[in-house]
Amino acid sequence: MLTITSIKNGIVIDHIRAGLGIRMFYQLGLDKADYSVALIMNAASTRLGRKDIIKIENNVDFDVTMLALIDPNVTINVIEDEHIVHKVKPDLPDHVEDIIKCKNPRCVTSVEKYVPHVFTLVNRELGQYRCQYCDEIYTVGKD
Amino acid sequence: MLKGRHLLDPTDFSPGELDEIFDFADQIIQSPAQFNHLCDSSILATLFYEPSTRTRFSFEAAMLRLGGGVVGFSEPASSSVAKGESVADTIRTVACYADIIVMRHPKEGAPRIASQYSPVPVINAGDGGHLHPTQTLTDLLTIRSVRHQLTGLIIGCCGDLKFGRTVHSLIKATSRYPGNRFVLISPKELRVPDYVTADLAAKGIAYQEVERLDDVIGNLDILYMTRVQKERFFNEDDYVRLKDVYILNAEKMRLARGDMIVMHPLPRVGEISYDIDDDPRAYYFKQAKFGMYVRMALIAKLLGAS
């Protein structure tokens, strides 16, 4: 059994769909962190079967929106003195700029580099965003 | 109020605003000479980053028939674009000289960028495999003239539905009118993009995706044919394999209703046999004529000249 100690003060990102933890880890820049960080992959989960977890021993500020765009079902637990003092469920924003990149090779954003990648939420239930320029659909957790 | 507006997407204008354009186009068709000086001293810039014959000629003829002038390029190699100029900079410069800009671009969404930097109206004349809203105005005016309605129609779209920007625009525009249903006829590889079917599903509009034209042609009010466009493919093999899959001929037309109309944005490259050109249900050449008149109406409205 893998044992990772609980953290005293910091943040635990829980219920990450297995396989997406590493993407979140790099997106948050945790590979460059100078404080204790743990990425747990494929942990057993009653709800998900398998899940990833990220534990951060530091009260960092980060963009919750960005986490929602990778996996909207994560739970963010804020820890103080080894207790959860706050739980956050990130919500999908209506409008995102320069967080998602358009993957359509024919989209104008692939050549006009000064143009921001702008996406608008079109279906909250399915987590679908649409590129402002070419209408390409980005599905959260799949793309 | 259409003066000063951009046309980037076929749904940029409300059905009421489209009627305003169509009504004006009808007036021009009745008496074209009456409008010969409507846009005297105005200049249209045509920025064609991709080859075009009929769309460019249609826009240029429309402006000249309104009394205006035309400047522009028909291939980027002969412009500052060849030096690597951005769309934003090209537009800011051209807008100093022209009163209205028409842009065709191989990249999807380029006219939207142009509109963000332009103080004058920008018209999308086709962006990659995305949209072609002025072809849609042409198509709607044609349907309105023949069927006298834009509602309650069964519209079949056949051929390259993946890269066929005219089809994407037509579906987007006609799905706003009540009672229209869609039959999407194509090989699996060339089905419409997900965003098109997502839109239809979100609006609760009935559509079916099928592979054989023969099976459904008898149900259609409108058959919109498209060519398989070589320039949209990343490799030659796929193009050769799919280009002749859906050919409309006299034999298939015998299965169609007597009041069905056949439309095509042109040019055709074999997907409609010449043997049906004289069939009274073939409307594609009449459709081309409507294109110039509707562009005259559009230019005049965006310039506030009518």
Side-chain angles (χ1 to χ4, degrees):
Chain A
M1 177 68 183
L2 179 69
T3 306
I4 298 191
T5 55
S6 58
I7 59 175
K8 190 168 168 51
N9 290 297
I11 290 160
V12 175
I13 307 169
D14 199 359
H15 305 120
I16 307 169
R17 208 176 79 206
L20 296 178
I22 195 154
R23 196 168 144 198
M24 246 176 232
F25 187 86
Y26 283 113
Q27 200 80 48
L28 290 170
L30 296 175
D31 54 321
K32 298 179 186 72
D34 56 3
Y35 39 83
S36 298
V37 177
L39 165 62
I40 304 158
M41 296 171 70
N42 300 315
S45 163
T46 319
R47 199 167 83 193
L48 302 171
R50 294 277 165 193
K51 65 176 180 179
D52 293 350
I53 306 167
I54 296 173
K55 295 188 175 189
I56 306 165
E57 182 75 67
N58 191 15
N59 282 316
V60 288
D61 274 337
F62 58 77
D63 185 357
V64 174
T65 299
M66 189 266 295
L67 295 188
L69 292 170
I70 297 173
D71 183 352
N73 298 312
V74 298
T75 309
I76 299 155
N77 300 310
V78 180
I79 313 289
E80 283 178 20
D81 292 329
E82 296 186 355
H83 290 95
I84 296 173
V85 294
H86 193 43
K87 270 184 190 282
V88 181
K89 291 289 283 180
D91 196 17
L92 290 174
D94 293 332
H95 182 86
V96 290
E97 199 167 312
D98 276 340
I99 297 177
I100 306 168
K101 295 286 177 194
C102 188
K103 65 182 192 308
N104 176 6
R106 291 178 299 278
C107 181
V108 71
T109 53
S110 68
V111 290
E112 301 281 326
K113 299 298 182 192
Y114 56 94
V115 176
H117 290 237
V118 181
F119 281 77
T120 306
L121 184 65
V122 288
N123 189 323
R124 190 173 293 277
E125 200 176 313
L126 299 176
Q128 288 184 331
Y129 283 84
R130 179 173 298 202
C131 172
Q132 176 183 267
Y133 297 100
C134 71
D135 287 320
E136 181 79 5
I137 299 277
Y138 172 94
T139 305
V140 171
K142 287 186 183 168
D143 289 314
Chain B
M1 182 70 170
L2 291 165
K3 184 182 177 184
R5 301 260 297 272
H6 305 293
L7 177 62
L8 309 172
D9 181 299
T11 57
D12 281 345
F13 300 158
S14 69
E17 288 168 333
L18 290 179
D19 278 340
E20 187 184 332
I21 294 169
F22 299 148
D23 290 344
F24 190 49
D26 283 340
Q27 283 182 48
I28 297 172
I29 291 168
Q30 292 305 314
S31 178
Q34 196 187 323
F35 302 94
N36 278 352
H37 297 286
L38 197 61
C39 293
D40 276 354
S41 81
S42 289
I43 292 178
L44 170 80
T46 54
L47 311 185
F48 278 71
Y49 292 74
E50 207 180 43
S52 160
T53 306
R54 65 204 69 238
T55 303
R56 185 168 59 86
F57 280 12
S58 174
F59 268 111
E60 293 182 358
M63 190 54 162
L64 295 172
R65 283 176 185 273
L66 290 168
V70 178
V71 295
F73 57 80
S74 56
E75 52 176 289
S78 62
S79 75
S80 57
V81 175
K83 298 172 190 163
E85 187 176 49
S86 67
V87 167
D89 285 0
T90 301
I91 289 296
R92 282 188 283 214
T93 309
V94 171
C96 297
Y97 315 135
D99 303 292
I100 185 165
I101 295 170
V102 174
M103 174 188 268
R104 169 168 289 189
H105 201 286
K107 289 294 180 184
E108 300 173 6
R112 185 167 298 281
I113 292 178
S115 73
Q116 290 165 350
Y117 290 89
S118 175
V120 303
V122 172
I123 299 171
N124 178 5
D127 57 334
H130 187 213
L131 297 169
H132 194 347
T134 61
Q135 179 63 47
T136 304
L137 297 193
T138 304
D139 300 339
L140 294 182
L141 181 62
T142 307
I143 297 170
R144 199 178 95 138
S145 301
V146 181
R147 303 296 298 232
H148 308 293
Q149 63 183 43
L150 292 169
T151 57
L153 300 166
I154 301 176
I155 301 168
C157 299
C158 179
D160 173 6
L161 309 188
K162 182 176 183 181
F163 299 109
R165 58 192 173 200
T166 57
V167 168
H168 306 160
S169 286
L170 182 69
I171 294 172
K172 204 167 184 180
T174 49
S175 65
R176 293 196 300 174
Y177 294 91
N180 288 337
R181 288 179 285 158
F182 298 90
V183 183
L184 308 172
I185 310 145
S186 73
K188 282 193 180 79
E189 294 92 332
L190 295 178
R191 282 184 176 170
V192 291
D194 290 345
Y195 77 84
V196 175
T197 46
D199 261 352
L200 293 175
K203 291 176 187 163
I205 294 168
Y207 71 92
Q208 60 178 136
E209 292 184 290
V210 298
E211 291 191 43
R212 286 173 51 84
L213 176 58
D214 304 36
D215 295 344
V216 293
I217 193 169
N219 304 328
L220 305 177
D221 294 309
I222 290 158
L223 173 58
Y224 196 90
M225 294 294 295
T226 61
R227 77 191 151 100
V228 176
Q229 298 183 74
K230 190 175 182 179
E231 62 268 30
R232 303 276 168 246
F233 283 83
F234 290 120
N235 70 69
E236 181 88 14
D237 290 347
D238 281 351
Y239 170 71
V240 170
R241 189 166 53 83
L242 295 167
K243 73 182 174 68
D244 291 331
V245 172
Y246 296 93
I247 296 172
L248 182 65
N249 53 26
E251 194 185 330
K252 287 195 181 75
M253 284 298 281
R254 275 194 283 278
L255 302 171
R257 293 211 315 256
D259 62 350
M260 185 192 81
I261 62 171
V262 181
M263 297 172 68
H264 190 299
L266 300 177
R268 62 174 158 179
V269 286
E271 62 279 4
I272 297 180
S273 301
Y274 286 91
D275 62 4
I276 69 160
D277 286 354
D278 295 329
D279 189 310
R281 295 169 292 181
Y283 270 84
Y284 29 91
F285 290 115
K286 293 169 196 146
Q287 190 184 344
K289 195 169 180 184
F290 283 122
M292 183 185 68
Y293 292 121
V294 86
R295 288 181 175 101
M296 287 174 75
L298 175 68
I299 291 168
K301 288 286 177 186
L302 299 187
L303 288 174
S306 74

